[in-house]
Amino acid sequence: REKGFLVFRGMEVYTEQGDMIVFGWEANIRYYLFPFADLRAEVEKRDGIIIPAHPCRGIADARHRSKEQIEPELLEAIDCFEVCNGAIPRKANAKARKLAEKYGLFGTGGSDAHHVSHIGRCVTVFEEEPENEAELIEALRGGRYRACYYEDL
């Protein structure tokens, strides 16, 4: 905060619906198969938000089932979809963006920085910078942002 750079705690949770980014749930979840229905219930209790991560990553990645359509169980639980991920090819991101548009979902961007070279590659640019986690979740639900590659800013 003192450097003008806010950091919000989020986590990526592996479910049978694919990997999900979660804000608003403080529990530490190990990265193993967590039933999506249970994740949804816990996040909703806390007024958090679930964002499918890199939903169109790799044709051989069977865990991400939302490559062509979004299953009703998932669609009921989300407001946005990661459409710009710094660790996957642009073609996969373009497919995710088209899928989000098809279903009327807002699109987020994230680095998915497993390597230093990925830090800040993709970002979510907010109309107004959230000051806390509640404002972050409210902005994500309201679509007051855009996803892009940092180099395109």
Side-chain angles (χ1 to χ4, degrees):
R1 188 175 293 277
E2 61 273 2
K3 300 286 186 189
F5 188 81
L6 296 177
V7 176
F8 297 102
R9 182 186 192 274
M11 64 181 155
E12 190 170 339
V13 180
Y14 170 48
T15 77
E16 76 279 5
Q17 289 281 349
D19 296 349
M20 302 294 154
I21 301 165
V22 175
F23 290 100
W25 187 15
E26 297 297 321
N28 289 319
I29 304 297
R30 291 193 175 168
Y31 191 78
Y32 67 94
L33 183 60
F34 197 93
F36 183 77
D38 294 350
L39 175 68
R40 179 181 181 185
E42 292 296 332
V43 172
E44 285 179 353
K45 272 196 269 186
R46 292 159 177 84
D47 202 28
I49 193 165
I50 299 171
I51 306 166
H54 43 69
C56 296
R57 176 175 75 179
I59 58 170
D61 191 342
R63 295 180 326 202
H64 297 85
R65 303 186 325 204
S66 300
K67 293 182 178 91
E68 303 299 329
Q69 65 182 24
I70 302 174
E71 294 182 17
E73 177 186 18
L74 179 58
L75 192 57
E76 291 172 0
I78 62 173
D79 299 293
C80 46
F81 210 58
E82 188 177 55
V83 300
C84 198
N85 180 293
I88 64 173
R90 284 182 180 256
K91 186 176 180 178
N93 285 331
K95 188 171 188 173
R97 190 176 296 274
K98 285 182 182 178
L99 200 54
E101 289 169 0
K102 175 181 173 180
Y103 287 94
L105 296 168
F106 303 117
T108 66
S111 302
D112 204 354
H114 294 260
H115 302 97
V116 173
S117 65
H118 295 165
I119 295 173
R121 184 179 286 174
C122 290
V123 296
T124 302
V125 181
F126 291 89
E127 291 174 10
E128 291 184 32
E129 189 172 309
E131 292 291 324
N132 55 51
E133 187 176 75
E135 287 182 15
L136 171 70
I137 292 168
E138 181 182 328
L140 288 168
R141 283 198 178 109
R144 296 185 304 273
Y145 54 88
R146 65 186 171 95
C148 65
Y149 286 87
Y150 184 76
E151 65 193 39
D152 295 339
L153 283 177

